[in-house]
Amino acid sequence: MKNEKRAVTMSDVAREAGVALGTVSKVINGLPVGESYRRKVEAAVEKLDYRVNPSAKALKSNHTSTIALILPNTIIPFFALLTQYVNMALERRGYKMMLCFSEYDRDREQELISMVVQNRVDGIIALTYNPRLEIPKGVPFVTIDRFLGVSVPCVASDNFGGGQLAARKLAELGCRRVACLQVGSVLTTEPNKRKDGFVSGCMAAGLPFEICNPPDGASTTPLEIFLHRHLLETDHPLDGLFCSADLVAHQAIGIIRSMGLRVPEDVQVIGFDGLRILGDQEPVCSSIVQPISDLAETAVSIVLSNDFTGCTPLICLPVSYRPGGTTKDPA
Amino acid sequence: MKNEKRAVTMSDVAREAGVALGTVSKVINGLPVGESYRRKVEAAVEKLDYRVNPSAKALKSNHTSTIALILPNTIIPFFALLTQYVNMALERRGYKMMLCFSEYDRDREQELISMVVQNRVDGIIALTYNPRLEIPKGVPFVTIDRFLGVSVPCVASDNFGGGQLAARKLAELGCRRVACLQVGSVLTTEPNKRKDGFVSGCMAAGLPFEICNPPDGASTTPLEIFLHRHLLETDHPLDGLFCSADLVAHQAIGIIRSMGLRVPEDVQVIGFDGLRILGDQEPVCSSIVQPISDLAETAVSIVLSNDFTGCTPLICLPVSYRPGGTTKDPA
DNA sequence: TTGTATGCGTTATCAG
DNA sequence: CTGATAACGCATACAA
């Protein structure tokens, strides 16, 4: 059962319009052509409902109008948003997106890269976890949140500045003793600078602080131990908390409340990311908001600019603070 | 600045292996070929790191190994999960996914369809909102949650059964007076059957019920009015609530709590979808869980089966109940 | 300016 | 079973 009735091709259009094949091609690609010819071709295109065959075009021209986006998954809201905005930015420029999920698997990241290279994508935007990722030569490559070297442009939020901002906010909001919770990969990723910025901000504000840096993983036990120790078993309990991600903040808030303390009355909490519950409802927590849409837009415009030479290797985009019910902000 | 060093082609491999072009093609495609030839070709492929050019293959074979997934966005968790699982199901079968966002725009849905048809995708999986969507002939088309006619296979959860299950659960959990909150499009979509199932379930259990069916939209005012009326301004207040989506349940719970009532002590709430906070944390609420991974798997396997004839037009997948803290389930 | 011819990398058809 | 050779649909250098 073959439904395939042969598709309309350029030569069909040419015959219909009574012009040569090359002329049709020129009209399609917006090259200069006589006005009367152009109209005849356009009429034929309309009549036959002609559309170019992207495979043929790609085969001939060696570009696919496709950019690969590689990230762990789409279940984590930050990745979901990034996917959305990258797609929009690409679409606006007439490009398609080839979405690939790495599931945090380093080998898979590498395999995906060679897969998309095989598929002749015109560029790659990647948010990866392999510190020794091999970057293919000859295809534009941009990372998000991962600085892999001066030859690979990286776009990220101003993580350091965001950490500082969080410290300053907690100080302004009346905190006297704070802590930073960074559930962290050992990797030196850009987001790890959040803690450094926070430390810097605390010192500038003269605010005493603790640091908790449990290993990444599903267990929240280290978190619980830390919070228990610094909220209940001490004479100088914390009254402010900066978490390196909204996800961590959410977990911490759960633990704090289960300990019988109140947020924000007893402990104020600021997260990082600016996520919303269920995608578009209220904020998860007070947070340093990442400009995800700008990240996407920037990454796309860099990967599409055929001139990588003059490009700053690390591009930091400004973040902002947004109250989200876990801090005592004035109305 | 042209980095493009010409890619290695089949004829390069043929020359290297000292065999004919056609033989290489056969080896690549797993067609029968002499053992000694096969080894020579494989060695050459390895040595030259040859990879097929998908554009050329597609041009010749008219197959792109690509399936389009059309849905509103990826910000709503249900869509994000669907994207994830569809991608996994496709990848397992050696297919790529072309992801398209409609933003709930009916015209855009239609445009996207012709766009992906132009791109010669091998099939389309769509979750759409245009009741008069025109389905392209000649390309396999499967919908999710939208029954568009017997000629278009639709895969959905057992929405009716889920509604019944919710009613039965609320009855079991001791509710005496319940309501169904369905924020609904006017469209006759499959999810609208949740309410019907709930009504059926309530009647079977002899449980008195109310129905609230506000129009779709950002405003929660109709919800508030309904809840205020049936929780505070009445002698027979509700003690159970079924919401047609976790999102609605989440909003309702917020309203109920802001009225000074407790969930689940005063009002038990069951949602629909089975979403988790921030993607993978605790459940949003007690809920009827959709088998999203099965939905994806089923949709993919149908769209890829070249035999549409024997296919049931509407395929319902079983749902299940999962407590999520907004009901008084026994431990 | 317009038309013609060639080749991109594969697959598929046929003749050895 | 193997190896030439002809399309596939388009872009483009080149000829008219």
Side-chain angles (χ1 to χ4, degrees):
Chain A
M1 163 176 147
K2 41 187 69 179
N3 282 4
E4 325 280 336
K5 43 193 149 206
R6 221 178 55 69
V8 177
T9 89
M10 265 195 183
S11 25
D12 295 328
V13 176
R15 194 174 338 106
E16 174 72 27
V19 303
L21 177 58
T23 309
V24 178
S25 176
K26 283 171 190 153
V27 172
I28 299 294
N29 293 303
L31 298 176
V33 96
E35 185 54 29
S36 65
Y37 284 83
R38 145 157 289 117
R39 273 210 293 269
K40 279 195 284 188
V41 170
E42 280 166 352
V45 165
E46 185 75 18
K47 177 173 174 194
L48 269 45
D49 190 31
Y50 165 77
R51 12 205 60 172
V52 307
N53 181 326
S55 303
K57 186 186 192 111
L59 175 59
K60 191 67 188 151
S61 64
N62 254 327
H63 51 305
T64 52
S65 294
T66 300
I67 297 292
L69 175 63
I70 300 178
L71 37 68
N73 61 54
T74 209
I75 294 178
I76 302 295
F78 177 74
F79 300 141
L81 287 162
L82 203 54
T83 303
Q84 177 83 14
Y85 290 121
V86 166
N87 185 286
M88 288 170 56
L90 285 173
E91 181 165 322
R92 206 173 312 126
R93 294 165 168 83
Y95 278 77
K96 286 156 277 173
M97 178 178 79
M98 181 160 182
L99 183 58
C100 305
F101 298 127
S102 68
E103 301 287 357
Y104 301 103
D105 181 323
R106 299 170 180 200
D107 295 331
R108 228 173 114 56
E109 290 173 352
Q110 197 72 65
E111 285 163 20
L112 286 173
I113 288 177
S114 58
M115 192 273 278
V116 302
V117 167
Q118 154 169 12
N119 275 280
R120 309 298 201 273
V121 295
D122 294 341
I124 302 175
I125 300 174
L127 196 164
T128 56
Y129 292 81
N130 184 343
R132 280 187 286 280
L133 201 66
E134 281 192 42
I135 309 303
K137 305 300 294 180
V139 37
F141 197 105
V142 173
T143 65
I144 294 181
D145 276 356
R146 300 292 177 272
F147 186 72
L148 299 177
V150 289
S151 61
V152 185
C154 167
V155 5
S157 294
D158 182 5
N159 289 292
F160 190 89
Q164 287 182 309
L165 177 55
R168 195 162 65 241
K169 275 295 167 187
L170 286 179
E172 282 176 24
L173 290 164
C175 291
R176 311 305 305 266
R177 183 164 210 93
V178 300
C180 171
L181 245 50
Q182 166 138 331
V183 178
S185 47
V186 252
L187 300 180
T188 26
T189 66
E190 290 304 310
N192 285 352
K193 294 183 183 168
R194 292 168 192 172
K195 180 191 65 185
D196 304 331
F198 184 73
V199 169
S200 154
C202 285
M203 294 177 69
L207 194 58
F209 62 90
E210 302 284 339
I211 297 289
C212 175
N213 198 341
D216 203 353
S219 168
T220 56
T221 314
L223 259 181
E224 295 179 62
I225 293 172
F226 177 88
L227 290 173
H228 206 269
R229 178 167 304 153
H230 289 89
L231 287 174
L232 296 185
E233 304 168 357
T234 174
D235 295 336
H236 304 290
L238 302 172
D239 58 3
L241 201 57
F242 169 57
C243 300
S244 64
D246 286 351
L247 181 53
V248 179
H250 178 258
Q251 293 175 334
I253 291 166
I255 294 169
I256 293 170
R257 290 195 168 136
S258 75
M259 285 165 44
L261 295 173
R262 293 162 304 163
V263 175
E265 291 81 356
D266 300 318
V267 188
Q268 301 188 65
V269 179
I270 294 181
F272 203 110
D273 279 346
L275 301 179
R276 293 175 174 272
I277 296 283
L278 290 174
D280 59 0
Q281 302 289 298
E282 77 274 13
V284 171
C285 57
S286 299
S287 190
I288 306 300
V289 184
Q290 294 204 59
I292 304 187
S293 141
D294 292 341
L295 287 174
E297 191 69 35
T298 306
V300 164
S301 86
I302 292 179
V303 82
L304 253 37
S305 76
N306 28 25
D307 177 27
F308 265 49
T309 48
C311 180
T312 320
L314 177 57
I315 297 175
C316 279
L317 270 32
V319 296
S320 58
Y321 170 75
R322 182 183 64 202
T326 58
T327 42
K328 294 185 269 189
D329 299 270
Chain B
M1 162 175 149
K2 41 188 65 178
N3 282 4
E4 324 279 337
K5 42 193 151 210
R6 220 180 57 68
V8 350
T9 86
M10 266 196 183
S11 24
D12 296 327
V13 176
R15 194 175 335 106
E16 173 72 26
V19 302
L21 177 59
T23 309
V24 178
S25 176
K26 282 172 191 155
V27 172
I28 299 294
N29 293 303
L31 298 176
V33 100
E35 185 54 28
S36 64
Y37 286 82
R38 146 157 290 117
R39 275 209 292 270
K40 279 195 284 188
V41 170
E42 280 167 352
V45 164
E46 187 73 19
K47 176 174 175 193
L48 270 46
D49 190 32
Y50 165 78
R51 11 206 59 172
V52 308
N53 181 325
S55 302
K57 184 182 191 120
L59 174 58
K60 191 60 189 164
S61 65
N62 256 325
H63 287 21
T64 51
S65 293
T66 300
I67 298 293
L69 175 62
I70 300 178
L71 37 68
N73 61 55
T74 209
I75 294 177
I76 302 295
F78 177 75
F79 300 140
L81 286 162
L82 203 55
T83 303
Q84 177 84 11
Y85 290 121
V86 167
N87 185 286
M88 288 170 56
L90 285 174
E91 182 165 322
R92 206 173 310 127
R93 294 165 170 82
Y95 278 75
K96 286 156 276 173
M97 179 178 79
M98 182 161 182
L99 183 57
C100 305
F101 298 126
S102 68
E103 300 288 356
Y104 301 103
D105 181 324
R106 298 171 181 200
D107 296 331
R108 230 173 110 57
E109 291 172 350
Q110 197 72 66
E111 285 164 19
L112 286 174
I113 288 177
S114 57
M115 192 273 278
V116 301
V117 167
Q118 154 170 11
N119 276 279
R120 308 297 202 272
V121 294
D122 294 342
I124 302 174
I125 301 174
L127 197 164
T128 56
Y129 292 80
N130 184 343
R132 279 188 287 280
L133 200 65
E134 280 193 44
I135 310 302
K137 306 300 293 181
V139 37
F141 196 104
V142 173
T143 64
I144 293 181
D145 276 355
R146 300 292 177 270
F147 186 72
L148 298 178
V150 288
S151 60
V152 185
C154 168
V155 3
S157 294
D158 181 5
N159 290 291
F160 190 89
Q164 287 181 309
L165 178 54
R168 198 162 62 241
K169 275 295 166 188
L170 286 179
E172 283 176 23
L173 291 165
C175 291
R176 311 303 307 267
R177 185 163 207 94
V178 300
C180 172
L181 244 51
Q182 165 137 334
V183 177
S185 46
V186 251
L187 301 179
T188 26
T189 66
E190 291 304 309
N192 285 353
K193 293 183 182 168
R194 293 168 190 172
K195 181 191 65 187
D196 305 330
F198 184 74
V199 168
S200 154
C202 285
M203 294 178 69
L207 194 59
F209 63 91
E210 303 284 338
I211 296 288
C212 176
N213 198 342
D216 203 352
S219 168
T220 57
T221 315
L223 261 181
E224 295 181 61
I225 293 172
F226 177 87
L227 290 173
H228 206 268
R229 180 168 303 153
H230 290 89
L231 287 173
L232 297 184
E233 304 168 358
T234 175
D235 295 335
H236 305 290
L238 302 172
D239 57 4
L241 201 57
F242 169 58
C243 299
S244 64
D246 286 350
L247 181 54
V248 180
H250 177 258
Q251 294 175 333
I253 291 166
I255 295 169
I256 292 170
R257 292 197 168 135
S258 76
M259 285 164 46
L261 295 173
R262 292 162 305 164
V263 176
E265 291 81 355
D266 299 318
V267 187
Q268 301 187 67
V269 179
I270 293 180
F272 204 111
D273 279 345
L275 301 180
R276 292 175 176 274
I277 296 283
L278 291 175
D280 59 358
Q281 301 289 298
E282 76 275 12
V284 171
C285 57
S286 299
S287 189
I288 307 299
V289 184
Q290 294 204 58
I292 304 187
S293 141
D294 292 341
L295 287 173
E297 192 69 35
T298 307
V300 164
S301 86
I302 292 178
V303 83
L304 252 36
S305 75
N306 29 24
D307 177 26
F308 264 50
T309 49
C311 180
T312 322
L314 178 57
I315 296 176
C316 280
L317 269 31
V319 296
S320 58
Y321 169 76
R322 182 183 63 202
T326 58
T327 44
K328 294 185 269 188
D329 298 271

